[in-house]
Amino acid sequence: MSDQENALPEDPMWSELKLPDLLSTETVREVHATIEHKWDPLQRSACQTAAGRALWKHLIHDPLAGLLAGESYLKSLYEKIKKDRINNAREVSGVILAVRTLWFDSKLEAALKSFNSKEAQVVILGAGMDARAYRLSCLKDSDVFEVDFAEVLQVKTTLLQAAMDSTYERQHLTLKAKSLRRVAADIRDDDWLEKLEISGFVPEKNTIWILEGILYYLSHPHAMQVLKIIAEKCVLTPTVLLADFMNQPSTTLSSSIFHFYSDWPDHLLPSIGFSRVELSQIGDPDAHFGLMHDPLNLFNKLRSLPRSVQLNPDDGTPCCRLYLVQASGSPNQTIL
């Protein structure tokens, strides 16, 4: 195991939790109280993701993540990380969020470069507390659209306004993207694409679609409808989809929350119109980021088993996999 992976809580990269000062202000406390009492598990997952990015700050530079996550999610994850480090756990809490974020960041940057410096659109569905438009310089020529529930976007806007009103925090609110537009829409409804176009989205323009941590919360019909709508864009313009998929055993982790799954997304996506699909599992060369050195950690053990195996032969536990998938297509391309 690497020094980085096995670092103890008192190591500088895992120093005592220091909460952003803004979290103690009345306005911000009221906003996060609303999240705690009124948001459902899908909406609250946005804060959990932000907490992961905030606490894995030695790998992910996201100065706004702590403010967007909130005190309770930061403290909860920090205590889990501290316990895991003390117990020398092979899989430290939040590592999957760190790898997932870094994978999406790296694939987004590579996809933008593949467009040969042409202007592009980036659409983040279920954007939640995502702050990529403020932290990724590769978006400097891109129009970014964040799509989520109206109440989520309103809370996010209020928190960012609090940062803007703070002299200290304002420095982190420099927009790196060419433009940013927030679109209040439920992607389970039939009108979300129409709302996206009304906000300035151009169907004929090169587009990267980001679906991070969202598909498995949807029902199968809703998830397939979203994927098909995106796939249809391949006949209009070069299109890239970046998404993560759970396999069927993973949905058993919370059968009341997780619904959509695909054991073979690399077969599913070509069947609906994508011409090229690349699939990775956490621990693969492009989904490693120096965090998966221990051959006996959960993710490396899963990678050693055929994807068709759903129960671990060693202990009978479900093989819960998260697939990181890049799919693409463009006019006149032949489906492989």
Side-chain angles (χ1 to χ4, degrees):
M1 188 178 293
S2 70
D3 291 339
Q4 184 184 58
E5 191 172 10
N6 199 32
L8 294 173
E10 56 268 33
D11 192 283
M13 69 173 62
W14 296 109
S15 55
E16 278 305 308
L17 178 62
K18 186 179 185 304
L19 297 172
D21 292 337
L22 273 179
L23 290 181
S24 62
T25 63
E26 183 178 357
T27 298
V28 173
R29 291 182 73 87
E30 289 177 355
V31 168
H32 280 293
T34 298
I35 292 173
E36 286 294 304
H37 296 118
K38 294 186 178 181
W39 283 18
D40 63 25
L42 169 56
Q43 295 167 321
R44 291 198 299 270
S45 70
C47 297
Q48 294 163 350
T49 298
R53 291 172 180 162
L55 294 178
W56 286 79
K57 58 183 179 293
H58 51 288
L59 294 170
I60 302 165
H61 179 65
D62 190 344
L64 294 169
L67 170 66
L68 296 172
E71 181 176 347
S72 62
Y73 292 99
L74 289 171
K75 285 185 174 179
S76 175
L77 182 56
Y78 177 78
E79 289 304 317
K80 291 176 183 177
I81 289 173
K82 187 173 182 179
K83 181 179 178 181
D84 288 343
R85 294 282 167 172
I86 291 172
N87 294 333
N88 203 28
R90 295 188 185 277
E91 304 87 34
V92 177
S93 295
V95 68
I96 193 169
L97 286 172
V99 170
R100 191 181 76 181
T101 296
L102 293 167
W103 183 89
F104 274 87
D105 286 355
S106 64
K107 296 299 181 183
L108 171 59
E109 183 173 6
L112 288 169
K113 289 180 179 177
S114 74
F115 289 150
N116 298 320
S117 300
K118 294 179 181 178
E119 291 185 356
Q121 299 169 126
V122 176
V123 182
I124 307 174
L125 297 185
M129 298 302 183
D130 192 291
R132 285 188 168 92
Y134 295 97
R135 65 180 182 84
L136 295 183
S137 57
C138 64
L139 294 170
K140 61 183 176 63
D141 297 319
S142 301
D143 298 309
V144 176
F145 298 85
E146 295 182 348
V147 182
D148 212 320
F149 302 114
E151 55 268 37
V152 171
L153 296 180
Q154 182 57 54
V155 161
K156 184 176 184 179
T157 299
T158 302
L159 291 172
L160 293 177
Q161 184 59 51
M164 180 61 72
D165 294 340
S166 165
T167 304
Y168 177 76
E169 295 290 343
R170 192 183 305 149
Q171 61 182 309
H172 302 313
L173 266 176
T174 302
L175 187 66
K176 299 291 183 66
K178 179 183 176 183
S179 70
L180 172 61
R181 297 166 197 175
R182 296 194 173 97
V183 183
D186 186 339
I187 60 173
R188 296 170 297 186
D189 294 338
D190 295 331
D191 62 351
W192 68 266
L193 183 61
E194 179 184 356
K195 291 179 177 178
L196 183 62
E197 292 181 7
I198 290 172
S199 73
F201 173 79
V202 181
E204 297 79 15
K205 194 173 181 179
N206 295 353
T207 307
I208 299 169
W209 300 80
I210 296 180
L211 279 71
E212 180 182 9
I214 185 66
L215 279 172
Y216 25 85
Y217 288 96
L218 306 178
S219 68
H220 189 86
H222 285 144
M224 287 304 302
Q225 180 186 44
V226 170
L227 292 172
K228 287 176 180 177
I229 286 172
I230 296 172
E232 288 172 358
K233 303 306 172 192
C234 293
V235 303
L236 295 175
T237 187
T239 300
V240 176
L241 168 71
L242 303 175
D244 56 330
F245 290 75
M246 282 183 171
N247 68 344
Q248 185 173 15
S250 293
T251 62
T252 64
L253 295 171
S254 180
S255 58
S256 63
I257 295 176
F258 301 131
H259 307 288
F260 176 72
Y261 66 86
S262 177
D263 292 314
W264 303 93
D266 44 340
H267 297 174
L268 170 67
L269 294 174
S271 75
I272 62 174
F274 290 97
S275 57
R276 181 180 178 86
V277 181
E278 298 176 5
L279 177 146
S280 301
Q281 296 185 67
I282 292 177
D284 282 352
D286 68 335
H288 187 290
F289 304 103
L291 296 171
M292 298 293 147
H293 291 293
D294 187 342
L296 295 181
N297 74 44
L298 171 64
F299 308 107
N300 285 329
K301 288 167 70 175
L302 283 174
R303 289 169 59 240
S304 69
L305 295 171
R307 283 166 53 195
S308 57
V309 175
Q310 299 213 339
L311 292 177
N312 193 314
D314 292 336
D315 54 18
T317 57
C319 292
C320 298
R321 302 175 189 263
L322 184 72
Y323 297 124
L324 303 171
V325 181
Q326 175 173 331
S328 59
S330 61
N332 304 319
Q333 277 195 348
T334 302
I335 295 178
L336 300 178

